[in-house]
Amino acid sequence: MSRLLKKALLGGKTGGNAGRAGSESASSSKAQKALVVHPDDEEVARALSKELNAGYDEHDGPQDHRNIEYAYPKEIEDSITHVQKFAKHVLQTTCYKCDNPLIQKLDVDYWIRRWKKGASLSAFECQCGATTCLGCADEPQTGSQKYLGEYQGLKLDWCCSKGAAFAAWVLLCWYDHMELNLQARCQQLQPTAKRDRKNGVGFGANIRNQPGAIQQVWDDVNQRAKYRIPGLEQALDFKQVDSKTDGVTSWVLGMLILLLPPKLETTKKVSPALASMIELSLLQDRTAQLLRNDSLQDVNKRADLYFATFEFVNRLFHHPSLDHLVTEDRFMKKQSAGLHAISTDWKGKERNNATTSLTVADKSEGMASSLIACLSNLATQSKVLLSGSHNKAAGEDILEIAERIQKLHTCLIPSTAKMATITTWKEYLQAYAVTRRPDVAKRLCAFSADKARAVRSSPKNRMARLVTETSEMTTSLPENVFVIIDDVRPDIMKALIIGPQGTPYEGGLFEFNIVCGEQYPAEPPVVRIATTGQGRVRFNPNLYSDGKVCLSLLGTWPGGPETKWQPYKSTIASVLVSIQAMIFVDYPVENEPGHENLRKTPGGLQVCISFNHRWRRDTLKHATLDWLLIPERRNGLWKNVVNDYFRFCGRGVVESARKWEQDYKAPLARLEGVGKGKVGVLSDEIEKAIKQYVK
């Protein structure tokens, strides 16, 4: 990348005649501070702006991507061509009156400051006193012919559709600078989930969900040396979320919404380069990341940002020149130096110094989901929330968010579209992971029923939390976990966890009773296992035959602070994840205190295998076969799940059982009271039951 382009990216001083735009880069941080609406965003904007305008040393910045020939997919190549053609047109525009050059580089901070002072979004005044539109290169339109708008107290105007495209280009270039610096900082703190092996089974909290974690990133950055804009030095990561930059993102989205034709004016023309700018910018990827949010509660907390996001997507969808940005799968950006660098790569090409400011995955490597697909989880959660009998308890604010999501999703995917027939187990999981029934409370064990009857009152916001949390579970549960919620009392539910492959529990169906007490979510729920072979079988050191579940997250086993229940942060879903990942493991005997590293001791591996065979036999007998042979279970609360699990996965369950029987030819493989006690009888009986009872 050339020295001039690197300094232009950072808003630094360069040689040559850059007009007024080149003389005001020193005060750009003040402009960005004034731009951000919310007080919490000002610190972020100042920090980012300071780095954006810091000059590079001659040898700073990415050096290893020079003279690289990179073949883009045709669609991306066309978009790059459109954007570079537009950028070249703008940077070579001359005064319509005296024909003198106007700007030779783009200083995004300079233009932001101009707009804050009420200047036109697209017009530029020459030294001769004449004003030229940088979009159409002509004298700006006046009076009723020009475009007018107002956003957050700013009275804005622009000349034409190309003038609007110029303003959008500035906004997207400025946003990309911000995004790249944010990603550089967020990579300094990597969250981890650790298991406390010394103090029992637990589930470490994700640092992104802890208060102050993101603030820690910024505090840490302020004590370090300045970062460079990453360019192509590191891979992009759009999963980093910092709510402190929400004001910046909301402002950019709001300005873009102003520049896009409203729904009822879709016949208005837009610049052909506009769609390409949005496609190549990082804002589209950030929009996708926001839409993939799996928490309605988080969406509600960031309502201003999300309302702007929804309207931005709505405007794109309703314009025939922009709708493909919403409906079509996206090319995955691997690395990017930002829209500004992409737009001005033609300068390097003219000097035979080819640069590659963007790398994307080819179609053969897979495409990123469309914005419509990204919204599907939130749409599912919203549908469940709005259809529940207790939805009013969630509160007016979150109901408004849910209604807005449903309205947008219905608009993007008409209700007349036919629902696809479920043909795989994965599709079944997505469709029926969370359901509701009015009689769950009547099917609890005695212990859980007593806990449910003990709930006499409900503190403020408890029911709202339960309603939203159970709605979020429709898309946040791990694979092979089902939940049925009592439609009358959403604080009572049952869960069914299918044993993971490769463990002694493979093919087993384990039922749990869950009751949330009066102090939930300040205190963990009460969880009991109901699959116990009628109180005779202990499947795991953490799962007792009387139903007790030992888990530090539930407060039933001591553990470190990071493994315990985090009031108002931990969720029922995190409990189910912990049970599946921390209890149903490859060698369960190592969950026993003092046996954490049993496999590494002399003879320890054989002990682990011996216990595994015992638990494998109990699983096939009581957690697999009993669901088929006992009518109360086969036709009970989980009737549909049991039937469809064995319909889709029954052959794999039988094959897995037979493999175990072949590996372990001993009396433990026999099933007492059934058949002749020969090896292989368990798999035979399971296969026979599937053929007899599964429809």
Side-chain angles (χ1 to χ4, degrees):
M1 185 179 290
S2 70
R3 180 181 180 184
L4 176 63
L5 182 54
K6 284 189 288 186
K7 287 187 176 289
L9 272 170
L10 296 172
K13 296 179 181 179
T14 61
N17 178 20
R20 273 181 273 176
S23 64
E24 299 193 29
S25 61
S27 61
S28 61
S29 63
K30 295 181 181 179
Q32 291 178 358
K33 175 181 176 182
L35 180 149
V36 182
V37 178
H38 303 294
D40 288 345
D41 301 319
E42 295 179 5
E43 178 186 353
V44 179
R46 286 197 299 269
L48 292 177
S49 180
K50 185 176 180 180
E51 292 189 10
L52 291 175
N53 294 291
Y56 270 45
D57 185 78
E58 176 67 25
H59 300 293
D60 280 350
Q63 300 288 331
D64 58 336
H65 62 278
R66 293 186 177 187
N67 302 318
I68 296 175
E69 293 185 5
Y70 179 74
Y72 290 107
K74 184 180 183 303
E75 296 88 340
I76 295 296
E77 182 68 42
D78 290 344
S79 293
I80 292 174
T81 300
H82 290 150
V83 170
Q84 291 183 354
K85 183 178 179 180
F86 180 87
K88 189 172 184 179
H89 160 76
V90 169
L91 298 179
Q92 294 180 351
T93 295
T94 59
C95 174
Y96 83 94
K97 190 172 184 179
C98 68
D99 207 32
N100 283 333
L102 293 177
I103 62 173
Q104 294 179 356
K105 75 178 184 72
L106 177 68
D107 184 340
V108 294
D109 294 312
Y110 166 74
W111 283 95
I112 298 295
R113 287 196 305 275
R114 280 174 51 91
W115 297 347
K116 292 292 291 183
K117 295 176 182 178
S120 170
L121 296 184
S122 60
F124 190 81
E125 184 178 351
C126 179
Q127 294 179 352
C128 73
T131 301
T132 303
C133 172
L134 292 174
C136 63
D138 204 346
E139 182 179 10
Q141 300 184 65
T142 59
S144 60
Q145 292 182 325
K146 68 178 179 180
Y147 293 81
L148 298 172
E150 183 174 349
Y151 182 62
Q152 293 190 354
L154 296 179
K155 296 187 181 299
L156 308 167
D157 70 84
W158 59 98
C159 169
C160 55
S161 62
K162 291 183 179 179
F166 170 76
W169 183 47
V170 172
L171 284 166
L172 293 170
C173 289
W174 184 74
Y175 179 83
D176 281 9
H177 288 327
M178 295 287 188
E179 180 69 50
L180 288 170
N181 273 271
L182 172 64
Q183 293 194 19
R185 287 162 172 73
C186 286
Q187 290 195 4
Q188 302 305 309
L189 182 60
Q190 295 296 332
T192 57
K194 295 183 179 180
R195 176 178 176 179
D196 188 346
R197 297 304 303 246
K198 293 182 179 180
N199 296 314
V201 177
F203 190 73
N206 190 316
I207 198 164
R208 290 196 187 100
N209 297 326
Q210 296 178 5
I214 295 299
Q215 182 61 48
Q216 181 182 345
V217 178
W218 291 103
D219 292 343
D220 184 59
V221 166
N222 291 334
Q223 298 174 8
R224 293 173 178 266
K226 293 180 180 179
Y227 290 89
R228 296 195 299 260
I229 288 181
L232 296 181
E233 293 179 314
Q234 63 188 41
L236 296 173
D237 179 10
F238 293 97
K239 294 182 179 179
Q240 306 288 357
V241 177
D242 183 2
S243 59
K244 292 196 70 178
T245 62
D246 284 358
V248 175
T249 308
S250 297
W251 190 85
V252 172
L253 288 171
M255 290 288 287
L256 288 172
I257 290 168
L258 186 69
L259 297 169
L260 295 173
K263 180 179 177 180
L264 299 178
E265 299 180 15
T266 54
T267 56
K268 285 189 175 181
K269 293 183 179 180
V270 298
S271 170
L274 182 58
S276 299
M277 294 175 193
I278 297 173
E279 180 181 23
L280 297 176
S281 78
L282 304 182
L283 184 63
Q284 189 191 35
D285 303 88
R286 175 59 68 194
T287 300
Q289 185 64 30
L290 289 169
L291 294 178
R292 278 196 294 266
N293 193 339
D294 256 358
S295 172
L296 276 175
Q297 296 180 74
D298 183 62
V299 172
N300 186 42
K301 292 176 183 177
R302 306 160 72 191
D304 290 343
L305 171 64
Y306 271 91
F307 278 126
T309 302
F310 297 152
E311 182 57 27
F312 176 62
V313 172
N314 189 47
R315 291 286 181 101
L316 294 178
F317 178 74
H318 282 98
H319 197 284
S321 298
L322 306 172
D323 60 349
H324 66 280
L325 297 173
V326 177
T327 60
E328 296 180 3
D329 288 344
R330 300 168 293 118
F331 285 93
M332 291 187 291
K333 298 183 182 75
K334 292 182 176 179
Q335 296 171 314
S336 174
L339 183 62
H340 192 167
I342 297 170
S343 304
T344 52
D345 260 358
W346 54 271
K347 289 185 175 182
K349 292 176 182 178
E350 288 182 348
R351 294 191 293 270
N352 296 319
N353 182 26
T355 62
T356 302
S357 297
L358 173 71
T359 57
V360 299
D362 191 73
K363 285 184 178 180
S364 61
E365 301 177 65
M367 301 285 284
S369 300
S370 67
L371 295 186
I372 288 180
C374 292
L375 185 62
S376 60
N377 281 356
L378 282 177
T380 300
Q381 293 179 17
S382 299
K383 183 178 180 180
V384 172
L385 176 63
L386 294 172
S387 62
S389 59
H390 291 272
N391 58 13
K392 292 183 179 180
E396 294 182 1
D397 292 343
I398 199 166
L399 286 176
E400 182 182 3
I401 287 281
E403 290 171 354
R404 182 69 178 87
I405 293 171
Q406 273 292 90
K407 183 178 179 181
L408 177 61
H409 192 255
T410 302
C411 177
L412 301 180
I413 303 179
S415 58
T416 55
K418 294 183 179 179
M419 293 186 61
T421 302
I422 294 176
T423 58
T424 66
W425 178 241
K426 184 177 181 179
E427 292 173 352
Y428 186 88
L429 284 169
Q430 293 173 344
Y432 299 107
V434 178
T435 54
R436 297 176 185 271
R437 285 186 55 160
D439 56 346
V440 178
K442 299 178 182 179
R443 299 169 183 262
L444 297 174
C445 65
F447 183 90
S448 299
D450 288 342
K451 293 294 182 180
R453 284 191 292 268
V455 177
R456 302 291 184 180
S457 62
S458 184
K460 184 180 179 181
N461 296 329
R462 172 179 176 269
M463 192 60 70
R465 165 65 181 255
L466 283 166
V467 170
T468 53
E469 188 180 326
T470 52
S471 299
E472 290 172 1
M473 280 198 295
T474 56
T475 59
S476 62
L477 289 177
E479 188 174 343
N480 288 329
V481 176
F482 294 86
V483 173
I484 297 181
I485 304 162
D486 192 289
D487 200 27
V488 178
R489 285 192 57 178
D491 58 344
I492 297 174
M493 59 197 77
K494 279 180 172 282
L496 190 72
I497 299 179
I498 298 174
Q501 290 185 357
T503 70
Y505 308 105
E506 181 175 348
L509 283 66
F510 298 88
E511 183 182 31
F512 294 83
N513 297 319
I514 303 172
V515 177
C516 299
E518 288 184 1
Q519 300 306 315
Y520 183 86
E523 296 179 355
V526 177
V527 179
R528 305 284 287 189
I529 183 170
T531 304
T532 61
Q534 297 179 337
R536 295 175 297 174
V537 179
R538 183 178 179 181
F539 283 98
N540 186 288
N542 298 83
L543 302 175
Y544 286 69
S545 58
D546 64 356
K548 182 180 179 181
V549 177
C550 276
L551 195 67
S552 54
L553 187 60
L554 296 174
T556 52
W557 186 260
E562 71 280 1
T563 68
K564 291 184 177 180
W565 182 264
Q566 305 295 317
Y568 303 99
K569 300 186 191 106
S570 298
T571 63
I572 297 168
S574 67
V575 172
L576 298 175
V577 168
S578 295
I579 293 173
Q580 186 188 58
M582 303 294 182
I583 293 181
F584 293 130
V585 294
D586 294 348
Y587 296 98
V589 72
E590 291 188 330
N591 284 355
E592 187 72 31
H595 295 77
E596 291 84 5
N597 298 305
L598 183 60
R599 277 175 292 170
K600 298 179 181 179
T601 63
L605 180 59
Q606 188 57 43
V607 174
C608 289
I609 293 174
S610 178
F611 273 97
N612 274 13
H613 285 310
R614 184 179 300 276
W615 282 319
R616 183 66 178 140
R617 177 202 61 183
D618 290 340
T619 293
L620 293 174
K621 170 63 176 72
H622 299 288
T624 303
L625 190 58
D626 282 0
W627 285 99
L628 294 164
L629 296 182
I630 300 176
E632 293 79 5
R633 293 194 178 186
R634 185 175 68 247
N635 300 315
L637 193 68
W638 299 103
K639 174 182 177 180
N640 293 334
V641 175
V642 171
N643 182 83
D644 289 318
Y645 172 68
F646 288 110
R647 178 166 64 91
F648 284 111
C649 308
R651 178 177 296 180
V653 172
V654 172
E655 291 176 354
S656 174
R658 286 202 173 123
K659 184 179 184 304
W660 167 71
E661 291 166 345
Q662 292 171 0
D663 293 342
Y664 188 73
K665 296 181 179 180
L668 284 177
R670 300 171 186 167
L671 178 61
E672 297 180 4
V674 178
K676 299 180 180 180
K678 61 181 180 180
V679 172
V681 72
L682 270 173
S683 58
D684 291 344
E685 292 300 319
I686 293 172
E687 184 177 39
K688 185 191 302 182
I690 290 174
K691 292 179 179 179
Q692 183 175 355
Y693 298 114
V694 174
K695 301 177 181 179

